[in-house]
Amino acid sequence: MEVVVLKIEDPSCFWIAVKEYVPGFVVETVYENLNAEMEQFYNTYKDSDEVKQEEIELGQVYVAFSEELKCWCRALVKSVQCQIDGFQFVCFLVDYAKYCYVASENIRVLAEAFAKIPHRAKKCGLHCTKPLTLYIDYCENTAKIGPAKRWDTAAIEHFRKLLEEATEVKATVQTIEDEVLQVFLYVTIRDEKICVNDDLVAKHFAHYKESEGTAESSSDVSDDEFLFYAECVPVEFIGPTFLARPKLPFGEEVSSHLGPGLAGCNSVLEKPSQRSHTDLNDNMVPVASMVPGLPSKEDRAVWTERVPQFLNSVSVQTHIVEDDQQSFQNVGKEKNFVFLSKKIEPSSVLETAPLFDGLKKELACSKFSGPTFTQSYCWPAIAWGCDVVAISHQGNDPLLYIPPVLTLLQENDYQALHNTSGPLALIVCPGWKKAQLVFDLLKTFMKGCRPLYPMLIILGQNEEAASQMEMRRCKVVVTTPYNVQRLLEHNTRLCRVCHLVLDEIEVLFSDTFEQVFTILACYKKATAQAQGNLPHQIIAVGTQWNKHITPLIKEFMTDPYIVITVIEEAAIFGNVQQVVQPCMNSNRTAELLKILDFTQRNFQKVLIFTDSATEVEMIHKALKSNSIVSMKKHRESKCIAACVLERWRKMYSSGTPAVLVLTDDCLQSLGITDATWVIHFSFPSPAVFGQRLQSMSDNFCTGIKDSAVDQEDMKATSVILLTEDSSCHAPGILNYLKHAEAEIPEELYDLTARVQESEEDKKFSRPLCASLKTFGICRNRTECPDRHQINLSIDMAQNIADEMIETPECVTILPLFIVHATNYFGRIVKKQKDQYAVLAKEMNDYFKVPGHRISVNTTEKSVFYGLLEGAVCHRVQVVENPAKDENVYKVTIKYVDEGRTSQVNSEQLLHLPVKFQSLPPQAVEIIVCSVKPIDNEVEWNPKVTDHINRKIKGKFHHAKVMHTLGKTVWVDPMVGVTSLPTIKMWINEYNIRSEILSMGLGTDNPEHVGAIQKLCRQMPVLDHAGSLEYLSTKEDTAGLEEASSPQAPSIQENTAESCNSPVTPPSNYVVQTKEAEDSTVHQQKSCHPSIKWFQDDVSVSLRVQILGATDSKCEFSRENVNFSAYSEGKFYVADLELYQSVIAEKSTCVITDREAVIVLVKEEKGEWCKLLKNKNVHVSLDFEHWEESEDERPFTAGSAKLNCLPAGSEDWFESSEDTDTESDE
């Protein structure tokens, strides 16, 4: 194969890249495509926290920005050096074979999609070519040439010169030692072919010598080593100098100087070979095969077949596709395993793939490197027009089905459908994001096809849009289950659909089971009514087997091809019985003997797996003492694998139950696939679980059977011994057993819960989960990298100042940075005196003077600076250490008063005087609550985000605060308003929540606020002494808060009451009276209920939000109301000091199932401007009872009226521009 030499250290250590196309190797175009995709991805998300690496480990591969190459590269971290301005890492670029220094801020996480492609640079050494050197004996005054441990400088220079002068370099791989390719290297210099190995030997720079292992005694070696020595390459002595030169296998030799064409230097890669393990019968169903990677020492006859698999052991992907199936689902990727219901001849080369020529050309132009292993089996079956079910680790890659489906649409004749309209192919995806990806790929690869007019249909809940949907010319529709259902509800028929594709079938069935089977029923009905000879096909692809696939196959498919390339999923389809047996670690052997007692009576072939040679010996001895005949195999044992395998077969054929105790590392050399029982004496890790199950693959069931028959036909059983020490891999095994529908003991659930709790604790320094904040729920906590509990040191490090939210019922918000449709960053604007407006004017005036614009020489992290953008000055904070780029330092900054981040040149930053730093950062995170995407989507559709961004950015809004946590505020409603200065009025324009709902892509989320309140109730509570100290110092420090530096914010939380507040968290708990301080101990032991109030001229009504109140008491006095009750195990107390007097004798309290209603009769008729003398954050206006009359309003100042409507109404606010709404009480 032709190669290019990337880097040379010496003849035993150099790096090459494969230049020409060789089957099994990755070609250069793949790496060019990889580099382009990496560049786009990391330039787009380089500031995202998700791709930044907090802790960098030596020996791990990351993505680093190379200053020399000016691009992002995959890099192996070799060492670290401490510099003045941070840490520098010495990295080896695995695709370029270059060393470079990289700053820590220029290192990112390697995305899984980019890790799938093997490293371009292959480390090599000259095969059996060892250095010589000149030894001088000064005593005898003589010099001799002898073996050396290092290469002489002259030898290295000669080696470099040969490669520099060469016009062509070729290499043949002979063996692999410690992941280093041992090669014969051939160069062409001035039309002369030279073998570099022979040339170094001939010039006495080197000598030929076999590996030292061949000269050692083989009496005490492992079985694999024994087989290797038996087949080692013979050595002969040639030439007058008696230089040892190894023969090539198959009896051919390589000359030092070869003629044109390199006729004598054919690589062993080009020779045919036979597998060392038993070939599978072509007529056997299922067909199961595995091509393992090449071990360091192995039978020579197998090398020729397996070297390409070693170099390209992971399936190459050129398209980045989202893969949520991490952890346990990634098991076994190093193996090429396939389980087929019917035989398929794979198409492993694009040139011979069953695709039409135009599509092949388009794939080649797109630098497509496939087909992958799974694609090679799926494409033929799909292209034949057959029903197909494919389960693979690449089951979420749309290219598994797009090319053959396009081929069918291109080549088939649908004459019988020419008089009708509608799509010929329907692709159903689990969500809008996947549908968008599929649609984009269709458009890319349709360029060489006849027009198919694909459509991406995301309707939402807009009935009018569904009824007006026109698909007259469309041949391919990409959509989601909910949208298909909406089309069906508006009489859109599937009469023309011939090809139905279900993408990510396990997600579709788990999330949209009813919708998918509705689609299948309509499709089945349409096909039954179809006239003419039309192809009808269902394609289901995914990463996991699902219980609903069985009825899909039985009721809707016709003799489908089932392709499974994941061993664990094949075991589920193959009806392998999974048993979990709880026991104490000390009692494992006794439990094992009980199990074996059953297998002995039922004549089984049993493999007992453990992870250490010591346990193998212990188990073997225990079985022997209990008269159970067994064999043992581990690395330290001297028995040969072939002998063990022969005994395994003879024991069973002679009528003796076969029992073999072994370690996992011996399974590959044995190649056993006919076991009936596998007992996991040591708890399996995901990495070995599939390998163990594969030892039973011959006994996997091959057909779809009824559940009643399945139990009888179970031919294979897997038994896991679960002990108290099995926690490490418990979550992965539990997830697998769940979707295998195995019986799971409570002990495994308890063990997994403890592990997940421990894993959650490890995330305590991570940010609070964005999905939890935005929607009140995280769909996949185990996979989510972020925190799902309150961390006071992070979440409460900076709080919204109390004076910013004087009246939670009506705050003015200015959104400045839009994250998505319901998550923004911006400022809360004070109505009377906006301190930031004053500060901004002072800063702009200050920096208008040129002499005040002093650039900083060096920047420091977390320090505040000024930044001029046009005529506007911003306060910014450096959040990431600078990275040098062409003599200009780029720094990542955060606009502390807006919330957005950006990257600027360090020279643009200005010294910010201390007087401009006294006001705390004004940016707050704003979340519109009680609304979420439709169809259980986890992200907002970009249409919604773009619409809201255009609608609200930079405009004033009025909002009601539902909850706050640190610098995050949840609001509902949030209404866009316009000021009319002449009449001092605000005019309502729109309600954001209503705006989202009107688009049809959002729906109500009533559990949102409750979930946030529940989360905050679980936060740690300060002890009593700390609470008293905090309370006693609160008043003293209140006057200093505004003057405190934003670089050293004080923590101002009092968590004692925050857990019960439906409106605000501890940061808003303000003690204004001595009585509140004295009652702290009482409040620590009780909760304050949420109270809503409204009034008329005669009375005041209080609605106490409390469910199922018991032992309730309500005491009235002229100026006080004291209410107490128990609810759901908690004691609630509300002691209210009224603003004006009431008639206690006429006041009443009525208890209902959901609330307590207190009616206070006023002593004097008229309106109250507030309810309480002192502010209470648990008391708020009841908006449902302030809508009858415009004359009813809780505020007295100003000339305009406040018309308060229920939350969510677009007409909520209509208030005076200078109204003082300091309290709702």
Side-chain angles (χ1 to χ4, degrees):
M1 58 184 177
E2 187 174 359
V3 301
V4 56
V5 179
L6 301 175
K7 180 179 176 63
I8 300 172
E9 290 187 7
D10 57 51
S12 296
C13 183
F14 57 96
W15 283 265
I16 65 170
V18 180
K19 189 175 181 180
E20 63 181 3
Y21 175 76
V22 176
F25 288 78
V26 180
V27 295
E28 283 292 294
T29 53
V30 176
Y31 293 106
E32 294 173 2
N33 193 36
L34 170 68
N35 294 336
E37 291 180 342
M38 287 175 55
E39 197 71 8
Q40 180 182 0
F41 179 84
Y42 288 102
N43 282 338
T44 304
Y45 299 102
K46 62 183 177 180
D47 295 328
S48 174
D49 292 335
E50 295 181 0
V51 299
K52 292 182 180 178
Q53 185 65 31
E54 295 182 357
E55 296 181 3
I56 299 174
E57 299 179 9
L58 300 182
Q60 298 296 317
V61 178
Y62 300 91
V63 173
F65 186 82
S66 169
E67 298 290 346
E68 178 185 354
L69 301 175
K70 303 296 182 186
C71 65
W72 294 95
C73 311
R74 298 186 293 179
L76 176 67
V77 178
K78 305 289 286 186
S79 62
V80 60
Q81 296 181 359
C82 185
Q83 305 289 340
I84 297 176
D85 55 348
F87 291 97
Q88 292 275 345
F89 290 88
V90 179
C91 296
F92 180 78
L93 307 184
V94 296
D95 295 324
Y96 300 93
K98 291 177 178 289
Y99 285 94
C100 65
Y101 291 91
V102 181
S104 58
E105 58 267 22
N106 283 343
I107 295 180
R108 301 290 185 268
V109 176
L110 177 62
E112 183 181 0
F114 301 135
K116 293 179 180 178
I117 299 181
H119 300 162
R120 173 173 174 264
K122 316 291 185 187
K123 188 176 182 179
C124 300
L126 296 182
H127 178 57
C128 295
T129 307
K130 307 300 179 183
L132 292 174
T133 191
L134 186 65
Y135 291 93
I136 300 175
D137 190 338
Y138 291 98
C139 297
E140 297 183 5
N141 198 25
T142 59
K144 298 179 181 179
I145 294 179
K149 294 183 178 180
R150 297 182 180 180
W151 289 91
D152 285 346
T153 304
I156 297 174
E157 289 300 321
H158 180 71
F159 180 66
R160 289 180 182 274
K161 185 177 179 182
L162 286 175
L163 295 176
E164 288 173 356
E165 294 179 353
T167 56
E168 185 181 70
V169 181
K170 290 193 174 184
T172 62
V173 180
Q174 302 300 307
T175 184
I176 300 169
E177 295 179 3
D178 298 328
E179 299 185 354
V180 178
L181 305 184
Q182 301 298 317
V183 302
F184 278 111
L185 206 60
Y186 306 94
V187 296
T188 301
I189 301 177
R190 293 180 290 276
D191 296 328
E192 183 181 14
K193 313 295 183 181
I194 301 174
C195 176
V196 176
N197 306 54
D198 286 352
D199 191 72
L200 291 174
V201 171
K203 292 182 169 56
H204 300 286
F205 289 121
H207 70 111
Y208 281 118
K209 182 182 178 181
E210 273 295 318
S211 301
E212 294 182 0
T214 59
E216 296 176 355
S217 172
S218 60
S219 60
D220 191 27
V221 296
S222 67
D223 301 332
D224 291 338
E225 293 173 328
F226 182 89
L227 293 175
F228 175 76
Y229 297 150
E231 300 291 337
C232 63
V233 180
V235 178
E236 69 171 346
F237 292 92
I238 59 173
T241 58
F242 299 99
L243 296 173
R245 167 72 190 275
K247 285 185 178 180
L248 286 178
F250 316 112
E252 63 180 10
E253 300 179 8
V254 179
S255 61
S256 298
H257 301 276
L258 302 173
L262 290 174
C265 63
N266 289 330
S267 167
V268 293
L269 294 173
E270 300 168 352
K271 291 292 180 182
S273 64
Q274 301 295 325
R275 294 189 180 212
S276 60
H277 57 275
T278 305
D279 289 335
L280 295 164
N281 191 333
D282 289 343
N283 297 322
M284 185 182 297
V285 177
V287 180
S289 64
M290 182 179 70
V291 185
L294 181 67
S296 58
K297 296 180 179 179
E298 191 178 5
D299 182 59
R300 288 289 296 207
V302 188
W303 286 355
T304 61
E305 180 182 342
R306 298 183 180 177
V307 169
Q309 271 76 23
F310 174 83
L311 296 176
N312 190 12
S313 59
V314 186
S315 297
V316 180
Q317 296 289 325
T318 58
H319 295 274
I320 301 174
V321 294
E322 292 191 0
D323 188 1
D324 296 328
Q325 312 300 325
Q326 299 174 0
S327 69
F328 189 74
Q329 283 67 38
N330 287 336
V331 177
K333 281 191 177 180
E334 72 280 359
K335 308 290 184 183
N336 283 337
F337 167 90
V338 63
F339 186 97
L340 304 173
S341 61
K342 295 187 292 184
K343 183 179 178 181
I344 300 175
E345 192 66 32
S347 299
S348 56
V349 181
L350 182 61
E351 287 73 13
T352 60
L355 310 176
F356 71 94
D357 293 337
L359 181 56
K360 290 180 183 179
K361 181 179 178 181
E362 196 62 42
L363 288 168
C365 293
S366 300
K367 302 177 182 178
F368 177 71
S369 62
T372 63
F373 181 78
T374 306
Q375 290 167 353
S376 68
Y377 284 93
C378 291
W379 284 4
I382 297 174
W384 297 334
C386 302
D387 292 339
V388 175
V389 174
I391 305 297
S392 167
H393 288 305
Q394 289 79 42
N396 54 3
D397 185 357
L399 292 183
L400 208 59
Y401 59 82
I402 285 179
V405 167
L406 289 179
T407 299
L408 287 170
L409 294 172
Q410 190 74 12
E411 296 180 349
N412 283 354
D413 187 9
Y414 302 90
Q415 290 290 341
L417 300 175
H418 283 185
N419 295 328
T420 59
S421 63
L424 298 173
L426 175 64
I427 302 176
V428 183
C429 301
W432 68 262
K433 200 167 187 178
K434 183 61 179 289
Q436 183 69 57
L437 171 65
V438 173
F439 180 69
D440 292 341
L441 288 174
L442 282 172
K443 290 193 298 183
T444 299
F445 295 115
M446 278 184 179
K447 296 176 182 177
C449 308
R450 66 187 182 194
L452 297 177
Y453 308 105
M455 287 182 65
L456 173 64
I457 298 179
I458 305 294
L459 294 173
Q461 296 175 328
N462 192 328
E463 295 184 2
E464 184 179 353
S467 60
Q468 295 177 355
M469 180 59 60
E470 182 65 44
M471 295 182 287
R472 188 173 300 278
R473 301 175 64 191
C474 170
K475 301 296 188 296
V476 183
V477 166
V478 184
T479 185
T480 67
Y482 288 101
N483 286 291
V484 177
Q485 189 175 37
R486 293 179 186 114
L487 289 173
L488 294 174
E489 290 172 355
H490 290 81
N491 299 321
T492 302
R493 295 184 296 171
L494 303 178
C495 56
R496 279 174 52 93
V497 174
C498 297
H499 311 280
L500 175 62
V501 181
L502 304 177
D503 195 330
E504 294 190 41
I505 187 68
E506 75 283 358
V507 181
L508 290 175
F509 276 145
S510 62
D511 295 346
T512 56
F513 162 75
E514 294 181 1
Q515 289 77 12
V516 171
F517 273 95
T518 299
I519 296 169
L520 288 168
C522 292
Y523 174 78
K524 184 176 181 179
K525 182 179 179 181
T527 55
Q529 298 173 351
Q531 299 178 355
N533 186 19
L534 293 171
H536 288 101
Q537 177 185 43
I538 299 177
I539 304 166
V541 298
T543 59
Q544 288 184 352
W545 186 265
N546 185 281
K547 64 180 180 180
H548 298 301
I549 297 179
T550 299
L552 166 67
I553 293 173
K554 292 174 61 178
E555 298 176 21
F556 301 99
M557 289 186 168
T558 304
D559 193 21
Y561 282 82
I562 301 174
V563 181
I564 305 177
T565 60
V566 184
I567 301 171
E568 299 86 349
E569 306 306 319
I572 298 176
F573 171 78
N575 215 18
V576 174
Q577 183 180 13
Q578 299 288 347
V579 179
V580 180
Q581 184 61 46
C583 63
M584 298 298 295
N585 191 54
S586 58
N587 200 36
R588 277 190 302 168
T589 304
E591 201 68 43
L592 174 65
L593 293 174
K594 292 179 183 178
I595 297 170
L596 289 177
D597 182 56
F598 173 81
T599 62
Q600 294 285 299
R601 294 196 306 269
N602 290 272
F603 197 58
Q604 304 290 342
K605 301 172 77 172
V606 183
L607 292 178
I608 304 173
F609 285 99
T610 185
D611 52 14
S612 71
T614 304
E615 286 188 340
V616 170
E617 295 290 345
M618 182 267 292
I619 296 170
H620 182 69
K621 185 177 179 180
L623 298 182
K624 185 177 180 181
S625 63
N626 284 270
S627 302
I628 298 176
V629 179
S630 65
M631 299 173 288
K632 63 179 180 179
K633 184 70 178 79
H634 55 78
R635 281 292 183 184
E636 299 174 10
S637 63
K638 298 180 181 179
C639 51
I640 301 173
C643 296
V644 174
L645 190 58
E646 185 66 23
R647 284 192 63 194
W648 168 266
R649 292 169 179 166
K650 286 183 177 180
M651 285 178 67
Y652 190 76
S653 60
S654 63
T656 304
V659 179
L660 173 60
V661 188
L662 72 163
T663 53
D664 296 299
D665 51 14
C666 298
L667 182 59
Q668 183 177 323
S669 61
L670 292 170
I672 295 174
T673 58
D674 61 347
T676 57
W677 276 61
V678 163
I679 301 176
H680 309 271
F681 189 82
S682 64
F683 196 81
S685 68
V688 302
F689 187 62
Q691 298 174 25
R692 294 179 179 182
L693 294 179
Q694 194 199 347
S695 63
M696 301 185 291
S697 58
D698 289 354
N699 292 306
F700 289 177
C701 295
T702 59
I704 301 295
K705 302 178 179 65
D706 293 330
S707 58
V709 182
D710 288 347
Q711 293 296 329
E712 300 175 3
D713 286 356
M714 284 183 176
K715 300 178 182 179
T717 302
S718 167
V719 182
I720 300 174
L721 296 183
L722 176 68
T723 71
E724 67 274 15
D725 298 331
S726 305
S727 60
C728 183
H729 306 297
I733 297 297
L734 176 62
N735 291 336
Y736 175 75
L737 295 177
K738 279 182 178 180
H739 90 267
E741 294 190 286
E743 186 175 342
I744 303 172
E746 287 298 324
E747 290 85 348
L748 184 55
Y749 282 110
D750 295 340
L751 198 61
T752 301
R754 291 197 296 269
V755 173
Q756 291 176 345
E757 184 178 350
S758 175
E759 290 297 321
E760 191 66 33
D761 290 340
K762 293 178 183 178
K763 304 175 185 177
F764 204 57
S765 60
R766 295 280 305 166
L768 188 61
C769 173
S771 178
L772 187 62
K773 291 195 296 183
T774 307
F775 306 122
I777 187 173
C778 179
R779 297 283 181 80
N780 193 354
R781 292 197 176 203
T782 56
E783 298 297 331
C784 178
D786 291 332
R787 174 171 45 88
H788 302 91
Q789 54 185 323
I790 298 297
N791 183 342
L792 291 178
S793 62
I794 297 176
D795 299 322
M796 306 290 289
Q798 292 186 5
N799 299 317
I800 302 174
D802 294 331
E803 61 272 12
M804 293 178 68
I805 308 181
E806 294 174 341
T807 55
E809 293 74 19
C810 181
V811 295
T812 302
I813 291 177
L814 181 65
L816 299 169
F817 174 65
I818 312 303
V819 179
H820 57 67
T822 55
N823 186 201
Y824 334 118
F825 284 89
R827 293 192 292 111
I828 296 178
V829 181
K830 290 189 64 176
K831 298 177 181 177
Q832 298 305 311
K833 181 180 180 182
D834 186 2
Q835 294 177 323
Y836 177 75
V838 176
L839 175 68
K841 183 178 185 306
E842 292 177 354
M843 286 196 302
N844 292 335
D845 293 341
Y846 177 84
F847 285 107
K848 283 181 180 179
V849 181
H852 292 164
R853 302 172 192 168
I854 304 174
S855 299
V856 296
N857 296 322
T858 59
T859 58
E860 298 180 29
K861 191 174 181 178
S862 301
V863 174
F864 283 67
Y865 300 97
L867 176 67
L868 277 177
E869 291 183 345
V872 179
C873 179
H874 300 276
R875 297 191 301 173
V876 299
Q877 182 184 34
V878 175
V879 296
E880 187 177 338
N881 290 327
K884 192 172 183 181
D885 181 17
E886 297 181 356
N887 298 321
V888 177
Y889 285 95
K890 294 283 188 180
V891 293
T892 301
I893 59 170
K894 179 178 180 180
Y895 294 74
V896 298
D897 300 311
E898 296 183 9
R900 60 188 172 102
T901 58
S902 180
Q903 194 173 58
V904 298
N905 296 332
S906 59
E907 60 187 18
Q908 294 178 254
L909 299 182
L910 307 174
H911 281 287
L912 189 67
V914 176
K915 65 180 181 178
F916 297 142
Q917 302 184 34
S918 59
L919 186 67
Q922 299 293 292
V924 297
E925 184 179 20
I926 304 155
I927 297 175
V928 175
C929 49
S930 302
V931 63
K932 63 181 179 180
I934 61 170
D935 303 343
N936 293 320
E937 295 279 5
V938 295
E939 296 181 50
W940 284 107
N941 191 298
K943 295 179 182 178
V944 185
T945 299
D946 293 343
H947 175 72
I948 295 300
N949 184 30
R950 293 191 297 268
K951 195 88 174 176
I952 73 172
K953 187 175 181 180
K955 299 178 182 178
F956 286 103
H957 295 74
H958 286 170
K960 177 185 177 182
V961 176
M962 303 298 294
H963 202 88
T964 62
L965 177 66
K967 299 284 282 186
T968 303
V969 55
W970 285 263
V971 299
D972 183 34
M974 180 170 169
V975 178
V977 295
T978 300
S979 174
L980 299 178
T982 55
I983 58 175
K984 299 182 180 180
M985 291 282 290
W986 291 98
I987 300 299
N988 303 331
E989 291 189 6
Y990 53 84
N991 181 314
I992 292 180
R993 184 170 172 274
S994 299
E995 198 75 19
I996 294 173
L997 294 175
S998 67
M999 295 185 69
L1001 297 174
T1003 187
D1004 290 324
N1005 184 12
E1007 297 85 9
H1008 188 184
V1009 176
I1012 298 302
Q1013 292 171 352
K1014 180 179 179 181
L1015 175 70
C1016 293
R1017 283 198 293 268
Q1018 297 170 353
M1019 73 171 66
V1021 178
L1022 297 175
D1023 58 35
H1024 174 56
S1027 299
L1028 290 178
E1029 181 180 354
Y1030 166 79
L1031 292 169
S1032 64
T1033 58
K1034 178 78 175 184
E1035 284 190 13
D1036 298 335
T1037 60
L1040 301 176
E1041 288 178 357
E1042 285 191 6
S1044 62
S1045 171
Q1047 300 172 24
S1050 60
I1051 300 177
Q1052 303 174 12
E1053 63 264 355
N1054 175 1
T1055 61
E1057 287 295 322
S1058 63
C1059 63
N1060 306 304
S1061 171
V1063 179
T1064 54
S1067 60
N1068 291 333
Y1069 185 81
V1070 180
V1071 181
Q1072 297 180 339
T1073 66
K1074 187 68 171 64
E1075 290 79 3
E1077 184 174 328
D1078 294 337
S1079 64
T1080 302
V1081 177
H1082 176 69
Q1083 292 178 3
Q1084 292 284 339
K1085 299 178 182 179
S1086 62
C1087 304
H1088 198 299
S1090 173
I1091 300 174
K1092 295 185 177 182
W1093 74 282
F1094 61 95
Q1095 65 172 321
D1096 56 28
D1097 289 339
V1098 178
S1099 64
V1100 177
S1101 298
L1102 283 68
R1103 297 169 60 194
V1104 184
Q1105 308 297 305
I1106 184 169
L1107 296 174
T1110 58
D1111 296 338
S1112 59
K1113 295 181 180 179
C1114 190
E1115 299 177 355
F1116 302 98
S1117 64
R1118 191 167 178 267
E1119 294 182 349
N1120 285 85
V1121 177
N1122 187 288
F1123 174 84
S1124 63
Y1126 284 93
S1127 174
E1128 298 180 342
K1130 295 181 180 179
F1131 182 55
Y1132 290 86
V1133 174
D1135 191 357
L1136 309 176
E1137 186 177 3
L1138 302 175
Y1139 177 71
Q1140 292 189 25
S1141 301
V1142 298
I1143 303 174
E1145 294 78 13
K1146 294 184 179 181
S1147 300
T1148 60
C1149 176
V1150 178
I1151 306 296
T1152 67
D1153 291 339
R1154 305 189 62 85
E1155 63 183 4
V1157 179
I1158 301 174
V1159 179
L1160 305 176
V1161 179
K1162 297 178 180 178
E1163 193 174 79
E1164 295 181 3
K1165 294 183 179 181
E1167 285 190 351
W1168 291 5
C1169 63
K1170 58 183 180 178
L1171 176 66
L1172 304 177
K1173 285 186 177 180
N1174 300 309
K1175 181 180 176 64
N1176 188 327
V1177 295
H1178 304 288
V1179 180
S1180 61
L1181 286 169
D1182 188 345
F1183 284 86
E1184 295 180 4
H1185 295 81
W1186 285 95
E1187 59 185 355
E1188 294 88 356
S1189 171
E1190 291 187 358
D1191 295 331
E1192 295 179 344
R1193 64 189 187 90
F1195 309 105
T1196 57
S1199 57
K1201 308 294 184 184
L1202 174 65
N1203 183 20
C1204 298
L1205 298 179
S1209 171
E1210 294 195 16
D1211 301 321
W1212 185 47
F1213 291 110
E1214 187 182 335
S1215 61
S1216 171
E1217 190 174 40
D1218 52 15
T1219 294
D1220 184 4
T1221 59
E1222 67 176 26
S1223 175
D1224 54 1
E1225 293 88 45

